Amino acid sequence: MNLIKSVLIVTGAGSGIGRQVALQGARDGAAVIASDINAATLEETKQMGDKEGLQIEVYTLDVADKKAVSDFAEAIIPQLKGQKLLLVNNAGVGLFSGNFYNTSQDDFEWLININLWGVIRMTKAFYPYFIKQNEGHIVNLSSVFGLGGFANQTAYCTAKFGVRGFTEALRMELIGTNIYTTCVHPGGIKTNIMRSATPKGPELTEAMHLKAIATFDKVAMTTPEKAARLILNAVKRKKQRLVIGNDGRAIDSITRLFPVAYSKIFKRKMDKAFKV
Ligand SMILES: NC(=O)c1ccc[n+]([C@@H]2O[C@H](COP(=O)([O-])OP(=O)(O)OC[C@H]3O[C@@H](n4cnc5c(N)ncnc54)[C@H](O)[C@@H]3O)[C@@H](O)[C@H]2O)c1
């Protein structure tokens, strides 16, 4: 899909990958509608775009809020006027809660409501427009944690496997149409995701969180700029599955080659990085 004369809607555009998708999408010629729950960081994205004369409209939007998402779609769809739509469901959070035993049901539900329901809700809200136009592209951010299940990440993996299943099911339903999906599985991307994940478990301390942030910063190989470029290139080439980074490709291969043994292969690494 060519981005010129298209509209690009991106969620979670106040930071990391989403901010870069907004800026680079606007540079590529799309009219960008950027949203985030955080109005202040979203405004920073807008100002970065303004400095380059880019067209970026901003909306504060919480993808976990059912009514806010449907109000947002109701406000935006009439403005689209038949233009090609690229929807990038990027907003997401991390949860630093330790293992499943120490993760409360409320925290689990909180994460699913953003990382999985946020993607489904946004897609559902804009789907009638895609179907009516019979063109466009939906990009959903899963993760390498949607390729394998990892210790101390039960809620996150559940959401990201869900995003993958949802996107791949749509992919099959949309065969023969002009509507495409891309499921994105990034490895570590140097963003604020671990920094923003507040310690939630009963035995967690700030020091443990700081250690996890330091580990994440060390192992996250790819910049958000590069991740966004790869995502937009995948859209241009109608690539429907995108794994990002050498770390991402290694996890992709190992989980496929050793669909059971990968748990033991990765356990020591995961315990070191995230055990509390
Ligand atoms: N950084 C990584 O290593 C990595 C790896 C795999 C997948 N991902 C996924 O990529 C996506 C982007 O993450 P990132 O690394 O850029 O993180 P980030 O923390 O830098 O940015 C996430 C953005 O989402 C926003 N957000 C959070 N909750 C929201 C809500 N309820 N409604 C709307 N916006 C909300 C935040 O305010 C923030 O601006 C996420 O879905 C994440 O799970 C990231």
PDB file of all heavy atoms in Angstrom, residues 24-42:
ATOM      1  N   GLN A  24       7.327   8.940  10.709  1.00  0.00           N
ATOM      2  CA  GLN A  24       7.805   8.416   9.425  1.00  0.00           C
ATOM      3  C   GLN A  24       6.655   8.245   8.432  1.00  0.00           C
ATOM      4  O   GLN A  24       6.831   8.458   7.236  1.00  0.00           O
ATOM      5  CB  GLN A  24       8.553   7.103   9.632  1.00  0.00           C
ATOM      6  CG  GLN A  24       9.845   7.308  10.430  1.00  0.00           C
ATOM      7  CD  GLN A  24      10.649   6.035  10.582  1.00  0.00           C
ATOM      8  OE1 GLN A  24      10.684   5.201   9.688  1.00  0.00           O
ATOM      9  NE2 GLN A  24      11.321   5.881  11.705  1.00  0.00           N
ATOM     10  N   GLY A  25       5.476   7.899   8.938  1.00  0.00           N
ATOM     11  CA  GLY A  25       4.305   7.788   8.059  1.00  0.00           C
ATOM     12  C   GLY A  25       3.963   9.139   7.451  1.00  0.00           C
ATOM     13  O   GLY A  25       3.655   9.238   6.250  1.00  0.00           O
ATOM     14  N   ALA A  26       4.051  10.191   8.262  1.00  0.00           N
ATOM     15  CA  ALA A  26       3.772  11.548   7.747  1.00  0.00           C
ATOM     16  C   ALA A  26       4.835  11.953   6.727  1.00  0.00           C
ATOM     17  O   ALA A  26       4.524  12.541   5.687  1.00  0.00           O
ATOM     18  CB  ALA A  26       3.715  12.539   8.902  1.00  0.00           C
ATOM     19  N   ARG A  27       6.097  11.600   7.017  1.00  0.00           N
ATOM     20  CA  ARG A  27       7.166  11.900   6.032  1.00  0.00           C
ATOM     21  C   ARG A  27       6.929  11.172   4.716  1.00  0.00           C
ATOM     22  O   ARG A  27       7.271  11.678   3.648  1.00  0.00           O
ATOM     23  CB  ARG A  27       8.540  11.477   6.579  1.00  0.00           C
ATOM     24  CG  ARG A  27       9.091  12.425   7.603  1.00  0.00           C
ATOM     25  CD  ARG A  27      10.475  11.963   8.087  1.00  0.00           C
ATOM     26  NE  ARG A  27      10.709  12.486   9.405  1.00  0.00           N
ATOM     27  CZ  ARG A  27      11.082  11.773  10.470  1.00  0.00           C
ATOM     28  NH1 ARG A  27      11.347  10.488  10.355  1.00  0.00           N
ATOM     29  NH2 ARG A  27      11.245  12.356  11.642  1.00  0.00           N
ATOM     30  N   ASP A  28       6.334   9.982   4.798  1.00  0.00           N
ATOM     31  CA  ASP A  28       6.051   9.194   3.583  1.00  0.00           C
ATOM     32  C   ASP A  28       4.812   9.690   2.844  1.00  0.00           C
ATOM     33  O   ASP A  28       4.422   9.112   1.827  1.00  0.00           O
ATOM     34  CB  ASP A  28       5.833   7.709   3.944  1.00  0.00           C
ATOM     35  CG  ASP A  28       7.138   7.000   4.300  1.00  0.00           C
ATOM     36  OD1 ASP A  28       8.202   7.603   4.157  1.00  0.00           O
ATOM     37  OD2 ASP A  28       7.068   5.826   4.728  1.00  0.00           O
ATOM     38  N   GLY A  29       4.133  10.698   3.398  1.00  0.00           N
ATOM     39  CA  GLY A  29       3.022  11.312   2.670  1.00  0.00           C
ATOM     40  C   GLY A  29       1.637  10.985   3.185  1.00  0.00           C
ATOM     41  O   GLY A  29       0.639  11.394   2.585  1.00  0.00           O
ATOM     42  N   ALA A  30       1.535  10.243   4.297  1.00  0.00           N
ATOM     43  CA  ALA A  30       0.204   9.936   4.837  1.00  0.00           C
ATOM     44  C   ALA A  30      -0.295  11.106   5.689  1.00  0.00           C
ATOM     45  O   ALA A  30       0.493  11.834   6.289  1.00  0.00           O
ATOM     46  CB  ALA A  30       0.269   8.675   5.694  1.00  0.00           C
ATOM     47  N   ALA A  31      -1.620  11.256   5.725  1.00  0.00           N
ATOM     48  CA  ALA A  31      -2.234  12.186   6.684  1.00  0.00           C
ATOM     49  C   ALA A  31      -2.367  11.388   7.971  1.00  0.00           C
ATOM     50  O   ALA A  31      -3.088  10.393   8.015  1.00  0.00           O
ATOM     51  CB  ALA A  31      -3.603  12.614   6.183  1.00  0.00           C
ATOM     52  N   VAL A  32      -1.641  11.803   9.001  1.00  0.00           N
ATOM     53  CA  VAL A  32      -1.549  10.958  10.203  1.00  0.00           C
ATOM     54  C   VAL A  32      -2.506  11.428  11.294  1.00  0.00           C
ATOM     55  O   VAL A  32      -2.592  12.613  11.602  1.00  0.00           O
ATOM     56  CB  VAL A  32      -0.088  10.941  10.724  1.00  0.00           C
ATOM     57  CG1 VAL A  32       0.001  10.214  12.061  1.00  0.00           C
ATOM     58  CG2 VAL A  32       0.823  10.269   9.704  1.00  0.00           C
ATOM     59  N   ILE A  33      -3.224  10.465  11.858  1.00  0.00           N
ATOM     60  CA  ILE A  33      -4.057  10.703  13.030  1.00  0.00           C
ATOM     61  C   ILE A  33      -3.425   9.898  14.157  1.00  0.00           C
ATOM     62  O   ILE A  33      -3.484   8.665  14.167  1.00  0.00           O
ATOM     63  CB  ILE A  33      -5.513  10.269  12.783  1.00  0.00           C
ATOM     64  CG1 ILE A  33      -6.092  11.101  11.624  1.00  0.00           C
ATOM     65  CG2 ILE A  33      -6.353  10.426  14.042  1.00  0.00           C
ATOM     66  CD1 ILE A  33      -7.502  10.710  11.216  1.00  0.00           C
ATOM     67  N   ALA A  34      -2.748  10.607  15.060  1.00  0.00           N
ATOM     68  CA  ALA A  34      -1.991   9.936  16.110  1.00  0.00           C
ATOM     69  C   ALA A  34      -2.760  10.030  17.422  1.00  0.00           C
ATOM     70  O   ALA A  34      -3.300  11.087  17.755  1.00  0.00           O
ATOM     71  CB  ALA A  34      -0.623  10.604  16.260  1.00  0.00           C
ATOM     72  N   SER A  35      -2.806   8.924  18.160  1.00  0.00           N
ATOM     73  CA  SER A  35      -3.528   8.949  19.437  1.00  0.00           C
ATOM     74  C   SER A  35      -2.683   8.298  20.518  1.00  0.00           C
ATOM     75  O   SER A  35      -1.782   7.503  20.249  1.00  0.00           O
ATOM     76  CB  SER A  35      -4.868   8.224  19.302  1.00  0.00           C
ATOM     77  OG  SER A  35      -4.644   6.854  19.077  1.00  0.00           O
ATOM     78  N   ASP A  36      -2.994   8.668  21.751  1.00  0.00           N
ATOM     79  CA  ASP A  36      -2.319   8.069  22.903  1.00  0.00           C
ATOM     80  C   ASP A  36      -3.151   8.396  24.139  1.00  0.00           C
ATOM     81  O   ASP A  36      -3.892   9.375  24.142  1.00  0.00           O
ATOM     82  CB  ASP A  36      -0.896   8.637  23.078  1.00  0.00           C
ATOM     83  CG  ASP A  36       0.001   7.730  23.910  1.00  0.00           C
ATOM     84  OD1 ASP A  36      -0.189   7.664  25.147  1.00  0.00           O
ATOM     85  OD2 ASP A  36       0.899   7.081  23.332  1.00  0.00           O
ATOM     86  N   ILE A  37      -3.008   7.595  25.178  1.00  0.00           N
ATOM     87  CA  ILE A  37      -3.689   7.900  26.449  1.00  0.00           C
ATOM     88  C   ILE A  37      -3.016   9.094  27.130  1.00  0.00           C
ATOM     89  O   ILE A  37      -3.636   9.804  27.910  1.00  0.00           O
ATOM     90  CB  ILE A  37      -3.664   6.653  27.377  1.00  0.00           C
ATOM     91  CG1 ILE A  37      -4.618   6.825  28.540  1.00  0.00           C
ATOM     92  CG2 ILE A  37      -2.267   6.323  27.844  1.00  0.00           C
ATOM     93  CD1 ILE A  37      -4.787   5.560  29.388  1.00  0.00           C
ATOM     94  N   ASN A  38      -1.738   9.313  26.814  1.00  0.00           N
ATOM     95  CA  ASN A  38      -0.951  10.359  27.475  1.00  0.00           C
ATOM     96  C   ASN A  38      -0.918  11.619  26.597  1.00  0.00           C
ATOM     97  O   ASN A  38      -0.182  11.692  25.608  1.00  0.00           O
ATOM     98  CB  ASN A  38       0.464   9.809  27.720  1.00  0.00           C
ATOM     99  CG  ASN A  38       1.325  10.753  28.533  1.00  0.00           C
ATOM    100  OD1 ASN A  38       1.160  11.973  28.450  1.00  0.00           O
ATOM    101  ND2 ASN A  38       2.239  10.204  29.297  1.00  0.00           N
ATOM    102  N   ALA A  39      -1.730  12.616  26.986  1.00  0.00           N
ATOM    103  CA  ALA A  39      -1.866  13.821  26.158  1.00  0.00           C
ATOM    104  C   ALA A  39      -0.545  14.590  26.051  1.00  0.00           C
ATOM    105  O   ALA A  39      -0.235  15.162  24.998  1.00  0.00           O
ATOM    106  CB  ALA A  39      -2.951  14.727  26.747  1.00  0.00           C
ATOM    107  N   ALA A  40       0.246  14.594  27.122  1.00  0.00           N
ATOM    108  CA  ALA A  40       1.481  15.394  27.136  1.00  0.00           C
ATOM    109  C   ALA A  40       2.523  14.823  26.161  1.00  0.00           C
ATOM    110  O   ALA A  40       3.118  15.567  25.367  1.00  0.00           O
ATOM    111  CB  ALA A  40       2.049  15.438  28.548  1.00  0.00           C
ATOM    112  N   THR A  41       2.728  13.503  26.203  1.00  0.00           N
ATOM    113  CA  THR A  41       3.744  12.920  25.313  1.00  0.00           C
ATOM    114  C   THR A  41       3.250  12.915  23.855  1.00  0.00           C
ATOM    115  O   THR A  41       4.042  13.053  22.921  1.00  0.00           O
ATOM    116  CB  THR A  41       4.122  11.485  25.746  1.00  0.00           C
ATOM    117  OG1 THR A  41       2.938  10.691  25.782  1.00  0.00           O
ATOM    118  CG2 THR A  41       4.794  11.472  27.099  1.00  0.00           C
ATOM    119  N   LEU A  42       1.929  12.833  23.709  1.00  0.00           N
ATOM    120  CA  LEU A  42       1.358  12.891  22.355  1.00  0.00           C
ATOM    121  C   LEU A  42       1.613  14.279  21.754  1.00  0.00           C
ATOM    122  O   LEU A  42       1.945  14.415  20.569  1.00  0.00           O
ATOM    123  CB  LEU A  42      -0.146  12.606  22.451  1.00  0.00           C
ATOM    124  CG  LEU A  42      -0.918  12.522  21.146  1.00  0.00           C
ATOM    125  CD1 LEU A  42      -0.391  11.386  20.265  1.00  0.00           C
ATOM    126  CD2 LEU A  42      -2.407  12.299  21.421  1.00  0.00           C
TER     127      LEU A  42
END
